[in-house]
Amino acid sequence: MREGPDIARIASLIGDPARANMLNALMGGTALTASELALEAGVSLPTASSHLSKLMEGGLLTLASQGRHRYYGLASAQVASMIEAIIGVAEAVGPRRARPGPRDAAMRVARVCYDHLAGEQAVAMLDRLFDRKLLLREDNEIRLSSSGAAHFSALGIETHAKARRPVCRACLDWSVRRSHLAGMLGAAILDKIIAEKWARREKDSRAVVFSPRGRQEFERVFLS
Amino acid sequence: MREGPDIARIASLIGDPARANMLNALMGGTALTASELALEAGVSLPTASSHLSKLMEGGLLTLASQGRHRYYGLASAQVASMIEAIIGVAEAVGPRRARPGPRDAAMRVARVCYDHLAGEQAVAMLDRLFDRKLLLREDNEIRLSSSGAAHFSALGIETHAKARRPVCRACLDWSVRRSHLAGMLGAAILDKIIAEKWARREKDSRAVVFSPRGRQEFERVFLS
DNA sequence: CGCATAGTTCGATCTTTATCGAAGCATTCC
DNA sequence: GGAATGCTTCGATAAAGATCGAACTATGCG
């Protein structure tokens, strides 16, 4: 009977199917309203509302009110990466999903992880950015080199640190089991990919699907 | 209502206080019997037994029968690192523990993480091993250099890969928020620290407490 | 074999909590 | 102002599951 941090509290919050579905949906990175989350979780609005207040109280969510809309989002990247870790275990021990299915394959290639790109594409990108010395591994962190700063700035990606959010961060990829790029820069790159219409978000999924031309452009800019 | 891996199943397993306590105890790395875990969780033997079979069915534990003893342990390093991630969130959002307390401080300095050393000491050690080029960062993995192989071998630490377990692996430290060394080598180093009596495991805790002389030795060998 | 220790299974009880309909607030639109 | 939309609170119901005592199985010891 040891004390220690209350992991049961956190885990039981995630342990309800409705709440797990909501969190899963929020892993897409976009904040959602209570009604959207109710739909996502397959429960009525009152039920969803009750779940949301529990998640809020548990510190897993943040809330942004805009007019009569209330947008719920994951509280932090740390929460997101905890959820990724749980997904990893669930994938590993889970009842071997009958057929991997096309959506699942798409997820492995490229998907949204909270606010940045994950999957094979993202892991390959980080590797290339290191090779080209646009990013530097330092200690156990990732740092932007001066050539990297110039490079991203030329692409119209702002890399000045604001607030306390780190510019670069490594995030473990559950499908590849290697790191991909998170942090402000990771988020900015995903923004660019979507803004340039190189890829679109699959509806109701975290999968990111590149268009043929978009993939070419992405490879030219980030994988060359 | 999306499908996807069943994270609720995994999380709800951890979400029960009794099971969470058991898992927490197993994070110490040593396999424990059902009675020990019952004590640890503060429940009766039948209750513990029921929890254990659920954890087994969920794939979070492994079981080794030896005579009339049945030793339960965490199923994998992946499971351990998921639990660490949950601990991290619980620490971050949890009801600010009134006073950090001495045990808590000791945990931050050095503790057992499944089968290797974690905490400030462990993070510092990994940094030094990189500085001395005994370990090399490669891609996103850690590799043993040839001088490193010689070094550890001279210390009586075997570094030949056996089975499929990687020799070196990075593991994110929840207290320091940087990586420390896991994998076969990480485990072997912890073994040596205990075997040489440089430090002892705190009773009923994951904390690892160095003796004055032990700390000196450890610093000489791994932090110099 | 008989006894002791380790562990599981069974059955009954009891608490927790997920759920939704109805009603209540709050904000915006007209 | 009044109607509509988005969301929360309340109250009652129902289901899930945690708990333990007692009985049962298995292993070891003399």
Side-chain angles (χ1 to χ4, degrees):
Chain A
M1 188 79 118
R2 57 186 70 205
E3 70 301 330
D6 199 350
I7 76 173
R9 189 174 123 81
I10 302 297
S12 72
L13 279 174
I14 310 171
D16 177 82
R19 288 193 293 261
N21 283 332
M22 291 175 170
L23 291 169
N24 211 7
L26 291 173
M27 284 295 286
T30 46
L32 300 171
T33 64
S35 349
E36 290 170 319
L37 288 165
L39 199 68
E40 204 64 59
V43 294
S44 74
L45 236 168
T47 304
S49 183
S50 146
H51 285 308
L52 288 169
S53 58
K54 279 170 195 167
L55 288 170
M56 282 295 295
E57 198 180 357
L60 298 187
L61 298 186
T62 49
L63 174 58
S65 289
Q66 272 174 35
R68 66 178 153 182
H69 294 272
R70 313 189 75 193
Y71 290 96
Y72 289 93
L74 295 186
S76 68
Q78 191 186 17
V79 170
S81 93
M82 167 189 69
I83 295 173
E84 280 270 327
I86 299 173
I87 292 176
V89 170
E91 287 270 331
V93 308
R96 344 247 146 270
R97 294 134 84 28
R99 21 118 199 97
R103 168 166 303 178
D104 207 70
M107 290 268 284
R108 271 169 213 288
V109 174
R111 68 179 179 280
V112 173
C113 174
Y114 187 43
D115 62 359
H116 55 270
L117 194 69
E120 291 158 15
Q121 292 262 32
V123 171
M125 178 179 79
L126 181 58
D127 284 350
R128 270 311 275 145
L129 293 177
F130 281 130
D131 287 349
R132 292 166 70 187
K133 307 228 189 304
L134 299 176
L135 297 183
L136 305 174
R137 237 180 274 273
E138 243 190 24
D139 259 355
N140 217 36
E141 280 143 35
I142 300 176
R143 204 169 60 79
L144 189 65
S145 69
S146 47
S147 60
H151 179 83
F152 288 115
S153 162
L155 289 171
I157 293 176
E158 221 20 90
T159 52
H160 291 309
K162 7 179 144 100
R164 282 152 316 189
R165 181 159 193 207
V167 175
C168 302
R169 242 195 63 237
C171 177
L172 192 65
D173 200 297
W174 58 256
S175 51
V176 187
R177 298 276 195 100
R178 301 248 323 271
S179 289
H180 56 247
L181 181 66
M184 234 190 65
L185 181 57
I189 290 177
L190 177 60
D191 283 350
K192 183 176 177 71
I193 289 169
I194 300 296
E196 298 275 358
K197 297 207 199 309
W198 291 347
R200 62 183 168 71
R201 302 276 312 271
E202 189 74 8
K203 183 76 181 158
D204 283 343
S205 157
R206 290 165 63 194
V208 170
V209 182
F210 280 78
S211 70
R213 198 188 55 77
R215 177 175 304 262
Q216 270 189 349
E217 287 294 302
F218 175 79
E219 289 180 354
R220 186 176 61 74
V221 176
F222 293 111
L223 295 181
S224 66
Chain B
M1 191 79 119
R2 57 187 70 206
E3 72 299 334
D6 199 350
I7 75 172
R9 190 174 122 82
I10 302 298
S12 72
L13 280 174
I14 310 171
D16 177 83
R19 288 193 293 261
N21 282 332
M22 291 174 171
L23 291 169
N24 211 5
L26 291 172
M27 284 296 285
T30 46
L32 300 171
T33 64
S35 346
E36 291 170 319
L37 288 166
L39 199 68
E40 204 65 57
V43 294
S44 74
L45 236 169
T47 304
S49 183
S50 146
H51 285 308
L52 288 169
S53 58
K54 279 171 195 167
L55 288 170
M56 282 296 294
E57 198 179 357
L60 298 187
L61 298 185
T62 49
L63 175 57
S65 289
Q66 273 174 36
R68 65 177 153 179
H69 293 275
R70 315 188 74 194
Y71 290 97
Y72 290 92
L74 294 187
S76 68
Q78 191 186 18
V79 169
S81 93
M82 167 188 70
I83 295 174
E84 280 271 326
I86 299 173
I87 292 175
V89 171
E91 286 271 330
V93 309
R96 343 247 146 269
R97 292 135 85 28
R99 20 115 201 99
R103 169 166 302 177
D104 207 71
M107 290 269 284
R108 271 168 214 288
V109 173
R111 67 179 179 279
V112 173
C113 175
Y114 187 44
D115 62 358
H116 55 270
L117 193 69
E120 290 158 16
Q121 292 262 32
V123 171
M125 178 180 78
L126 181 58
D127 284 350
R128 270 314 275 145
L129 294 177
F130 281 131
D131 287 349
R132 292 165 72 186
K133 306 232 191 300
L134 299 176
L135 297 182
L136 305 174
R137 237 180 273 272
E138 242 188 26
D139 258 356
N140 217 35
E141 279 143 36
I142 299 175
R143 203 168 60 78
L144 190 64
S145 69
S146 47
S147 60
H151 180 83
F152 289 113
S153 163
L155 289 172
I157 293 176
E158 222 20 270
T159 53
H160 291 309
K162 13 179 141 107
R164 283 152 315 188
R165 180 158 194 207
V167 176
C168 302
R169 240 194 65 236
C171 176
L172 191 66
D173 200 296
W174 59 255
S175 51
V176 186
R177 299 277 194 99
R178 301 247 322 271
S179 289
H180 55 247
L181 181 65
M184 234 190 67
L185 181 57
I189 289 177
L190 177 60
D191 283 349
K192 182 176 177 72
I193 289 168
I194 301 296
E196 298 274 359
K197 297 207 199 308
W198 291 347
R200 62 183 168 72
R201 302 274 313 270
E202 188 76 8
K203 184 77 181 158
D204 282 346
S205 157
R206 289 165 62 195
V208 170
V209 182
F210 281 78
S211 70
R213 197 188 56 77
R215 178 175 303 261
Q216 271 188 349
E217 287 295 303
F218 175 77
E219 289 181 354
R220 187 177 59 74
V221 177
F222 292 112
L223 294 182
S224 65

